[in-house]
Amino acid sequence: MSLLTVTHLKKTYTSRFGDSKVEALKDVNFTVETGEFVAIMGESGSGKTTLLNILASLDKPTGGNVVLDGVDFSTLPENKAADYRRENLGFVFQEFNLLDTFSVEDNIYLPLVLGGKSYEEMSLKINPLAKALGIGAILKKYPYEISGGQKQRVAVCRALITDPKIILADEPTGALDSRNTDELLELFTIINRTGQTILMVTHSVKAASSAGRVLFIKDGTVYHEIYRGDSSNQQFYTKISNTLTVLQSGGEV
């Protein structure tokens, strides 16, 4: 059984007075296997942000199902969805979403604190992660004292500390310069090689070329997908670029 199964997912937004409707997602179907690194690409308005919000259990679908490790969390009530989200999903955002009034260490601890974990348990978990991510020396600093690249490593550490079934990354390289982008993508590759499943929404061909598979969203559906296979990052980059060119020109892949 796949780790994540999305079946006939639909999302329709209705205006306040009910006089107009917008289909953000029409009929989305795909699966993600344990240990995969999947990128989702699409033009603005294609539905990828709506899809990510539903996968993150931050929004409810109009129809269809999202099943993660056998649990259809798209139907969970909000009080249970919040617990499920915290215990099973890890998040990495474009703008880091760190609290400036919390130290780096406390930002990383936050999902564990909300989960009622003891300080002793949290301390045991943070040290090996911080060392692996190269942020052990900045744990006592505050977000405003560290660089953008360091902030994103902190965000990755926060995402990993709950041992999530899947990491959802929303434009994770969007606020980074080229050097920090390269470092983050290499970090994602290393994390993925340990068996961590990653699903990343991105506009960046470079970011997507680090994944093993790319899904292309167009007009609210999964329009096409390509696999890395034995391709290098550069070869996969070219495949993705060529596919985007065809899709944007209205041609058939």
Side-chain angles (χ1 to χ4, degrees):
M1 183 176 67
S2 300
L3 175 65
L4 177 68
T5 302
V6 177
T7 309
H8 300 304
L9 198 66
K10 300 178 181 180
K11 181 64 179 182
T12 302
Y13 292 101
T14 304
S15 66
R16 182 178 178 184
F17 299 106
D19 55 349
S20 64
K21 294 183 179 181
V22 175
E23 281 189 301
L25 299 177
K26 295 179 181 178
D27 187 19
V28 175
N29 299 275
F30 67 91
T31 60
V32 176
E33 304 301 320
T34 299
E36 269 201 288
F37 184 179
V38 178
I40 296 177
M41 302 193 77
E43 296 179 313
S44 296
S46 62
K48 63 184 185 300
T49 299
T50 299
L51 174 60
L52 188 68
N53 286 339
I54 292 175
L55 296 180
S57 75
L58 298 173
D59 198 0
K60 296 288 185 183
T62 305
N65 304 95
V66 178
V67 178
L68 179 64
D69 201 20
V71 176
D72 184 354
F73 67 83
S74 60
T75 62
L76 292 175
E78 181 51 38
N79 61 329
K80 292 185 178 180
D83 292 339
Y84 190 82
R85 181 165 55 239
R86 184 175 60 249
E87 294 168 4
N88 294 278
L89 306 176
F91 300 96
V92 180
F93 303 96
Q94 177 177 340
E95 298 298 336
F96 320 126
N97 284 18
L98 301 177
L99 300 174
D100 275 339
T101 55
F102 282 24
S103 68
V104 163
E105 185 176 46
D106 288 339
N107 268 283
I108 296 169
Y109 281 156
L110 190 56
L112 296 181
V113 171
L114 294 174
K117 304 299 183 184
S118 68
Y119 181 78
E120 290 73 18
E121 184 177 351
M122 292 190 295
S123 296
L124 288 174
K125 297 193 75 170
I126 197 173
N127 292 327
L129 268 180
K131 181 179 180 181
L133 295 173
I135 58 172
I138 63 170
L139 289 178
K140 301 301 181 183
K141 291 189 176 183
Y142 287 80
Y144 56 82
E145 298 178 301
I146 62 178
S147 69
Q150 289 172 320
K151 288 178 183 178
Q152 199 59 294
R153 285 176 176 265
V154 172
V156 171
C157 190
R158 181 183 58 192
L160 288 170
I161 200 163
T162 58
D163 299 317
K165 290 184 171 69
I166 188 168
I167 285 181
L168 301 177
D170 184 11
E171 299 285 1
T173 63
L176 301 178
D177 60 24
S178 59
R179 181 178 65 82
N180 283 309
T181 290
D182 289 343
E183 290 180 357
L184 179 67
L185 294 176
E186 177 61 24
L187 185 59
F188 270 15
T189 299
I190 293 169
I191 292 168
N192 177 241
R193 285 173 183 162
T194 69
Q196 177 65 60
T197 309
I198 302 173
L199 185 68
M200 173 177 65
V201 167
T202 183
H203 280 100
S204 167
V205 176
K206 183 174 187 178
S209 65
S210 294
R213 176 164 57 116
V214 181
L215 302 176
F216 297 90
I217 303 292
K218 183 178 181 180
D219 299 328
T221 64
V222 177
Y223 188 77
H224 189 61
E225 65 178 329
I226 58 175
Y227 288 81
R228 167 188 294 278
D230 295 327
S231 302
S232 65
N233 277 20
Q234 185 56 52
Q235 290 169 330
F236 201 34
Y237 182 103
T238 301
K239 286 183 182 180
I240 295 167
S241 295
N242 291 341
T243 302
L244 284 173
T245 299
V246 174
L247 291 178
Q248 290 168 357
S249 66
E252 294 290 333
V253 181

